[in-house]
Structure formats: C-alpha cells, structure tokens
Amino acid sequence: MFFIVIVAISLVICLISFYPLLKKDAQKESKLRDQLNKAFYFDRLKETEQEAEQGKIDDLEQTRQELQQNLLDDIPIQTQAVTSTQKFAYKTWFVALLLIVPLVSTAIYWQVGSKFDDSMLSASHQKLSYFYERIKTEDTNPLSLEELNQFAMALRVELQKKPQDHAAWFTLGQIGMATNNGQLALDSFAKASQIQPENQHYRLRYVEILMYSDDPQDKAKGEEILKALIRADHTNIEALSLLAFRAFEQEDYKMAAVTWGMMLKLMPEDDPRRTTVERSMQSARSMLQHSPTIK
C-alpha cells in the first residue's frame, strides 16, 4: 500500500510540474515554425526579385510559385524533425523523473520515517510499566482504545526481547479480545499456551477463541482441547461452561442441560453465577421438550 501511494503521488507531482511546461513549449515551437517559414520565404523572395532585375531569371512569376511551394513544403519537415526530437527528450526526462521521485521518497521514508517509527515504539515501550499499573484499576478506570493500542505496541516490543514471556503473550491476547482483534487474541493465546501448556487458564482462553471462530476447523480443534481439559479435571467449571454452550450451539440440548446441572453441583450456593447457569439449564430443557426428535 505504501509503494502504491508513493507511485501515485509521484505521478501527480510530475504531471503538475511538467505538463504545463511541455504544453507551453509545444505552443512556442509552433509559433516559431510559422515565423521561420515567413522569414525564409520573404528573404528568398527578395533575392529572387533582385535576380530577375539582373536578368538571371526569365519567368519571375513561375519562380515565385516554385519558391513558395518548396519553402512551405520543406521547412515544416525540418522543424517537425526538431519538434519530434524535443518531444522525445521531454518524454525521456518525464519518465526518468517519474522513476527518480519514488526512489527519493522511499529513501527519505526509510531514513526519516523508520526512525520516527522506532522512536514511537521506544516511547511506547518505556510506558509498559505504567500500563501494567493501569490495568490494576481497569474496573474503575478502564483504558481507552488508544491506550490499549499503545499497550499492545509496548508488549510487542517487549516480546521481541523476551519471546518466551508467556504472561506478556497472554496479556497481549486479552488486549486483542478487548479491541475486537480476534486474530491477535488467537495468536497470542496460542503462543502463551505453547510456552506453558500446563497452565489451564491459558488453554481455556485459547479454547474460547477457537470455539468462537467462524472456521469449523478452529471449532473442532477447540472442542478437542476442551475435552482433554475436562478429562484432566472434571471439576473445572470454566471448561464445563464452554462445553455446555458448545453443546447448546450444536442443538445438543440434553448434553447442555446435563453439563449445566453438573456445574450447579460444583458451585457454592452463594456463587453469583448460579442464577445464569440455572436459567441456561432451564432453557436447554425447554428446547429439549419442544424438540421430541432430539434424544
């Protein structure tokens, strides 16, 4: 995209700068040709009249006609050759400038623009500790979208230096979710899970992103990891919740109701999530009753 913009800008600059000049030169050449024709004609005509007076020419009128015809035929050809040569030179310069301008622009960008980008990255990275402190008050003082983007930029710089920092990868994934950047969240949670596969919290967030994906392969992969998590820990309420919602999405209302029922048995009586789980279980049972073909 950057190079397309450079080429477009270069073309506009060349057209604005040189088109009026080329047009003006063409007009000057046409006017100069006419003046040259007239000057040659009248000078030669005067010489012819002098030669007629001296007796060197017998038929003055015929000589005038031949002179007029010859001069009018010959001179435009000569001037046209000059004009074609000049036009070729103009075109050559135009093409050369069209190539030079983007090269110069690109060189300036790499020298100035890249340094500016590096400066911005460095400035964002220096605020990394500030952003870590800010997220501690996220509930009462949430970060703005601009701050989240700066936080993500600072984390990217940090991860270039510490690519095995699983906590930073996980935080970057959370920022991806907060900014609706699904690909960033998916890649970051995957990296965090890869570095620390025994961390169930990381894997659950990764599974969640996979199962919310529109890609059937991602959903299948997420379901496979989820079942492995539940086999390893039957009391993982977050994993059971994802399994229940996945079953409900697939219209497997019996499995969804059973799974939500298991969650209720595992949750304390004062758990604020119980109300939501009970409603979800009732919804699944209602759908099951109205769908007698579903077993």
Side-chain angles (χ1 to χ4, degrees), residues 124-136 151 154:
S124 297
H125 183 250
Q126 291 175 2
K127 297 175 64 177
L128 186 59
S129 58
Y130 161 77
F131 287 125
Y132 273 125
E133 289 296 321
R134 280 281 285 111
I135 59 175
K136 294 179 181 179
F151 193 4

Side-chain angles (χ1 to χ4, degrees), residues 111-171:
Q111 291 294 322
V112 179
S114 59
K115 291 182 180 179
F116 179 73
D117 290 343
D118 291 341
S119 177
M120 288 185 60
L121 290 173
S122 178
S124 297
H125 183 250
Q126 291 175 2
K127 297 175 64 177
L128 186 59
S129 58
Y130 161 77
F131 287 125
Y132 273 125
E133 289 296 321
R134 280 281 285 111
I135 59 175
K136 294 179 181 179
T137 60
E138 178 67 13
D139 293 337
T140 57
N141 185 23
L143 277 73
S144 65
L145 181 59
E146 182 180 356
E147 288 177 318
L148 287 171
N149 289 329
Q150 291 181 0
F151 193 4
M153 188 182 301
L155 283 171
R156 288 179 183 275
V157 177
E158 179 71 9
L159 286 167
Q160 288 180 355
K161 301 177 181 179
K162 302 176 181 178
Q164 297 302 310
D165 189 344
H166 55 85
W169 280 113
F170 183 76
T171 303

Side-chain angles (χ1 to χ4, degrees), residues 204-270:
L204 277 171
R205 294 287 78 77
Y206 180 42
V207 168
E208 186 177 2
I209 292 296
L210 287 171
M211 295 182 69
Y212 286 154
S213 172
D214 294 330
D215 189 344
Q217 293 183 351
D218 286 345
K219 288 182 179 292
K221 184 177 180 180
E223 193 170 347
E224 181 182 348
I225 299 174
L226 180 61
K227 290 179 180 178
L229 285 171
I230 295 175
R231 284 195 298 268
D233 182 8
H234 295 283
T235 64
N236 192 320
I237 293 179
E238 289 189 68
L240 290 171
S241 178
L242 287 174
L243 181 63
F245 278 112
R246 176 59 175 162
F248 192 88
E249 182 184 32
Q250 293 176 321
E251 299 183 357
D252 188 351
Y253 303 118
K254 183 176 181 179
M255 174 61 75
V258 170
T259 306
W260 276 316
M262 290 176 60
M263 291 174 59
L264 288 173
K265 293 178 181 180
L266 294 169
M267 297 170 67
E269 291 295 330
D270 59 349

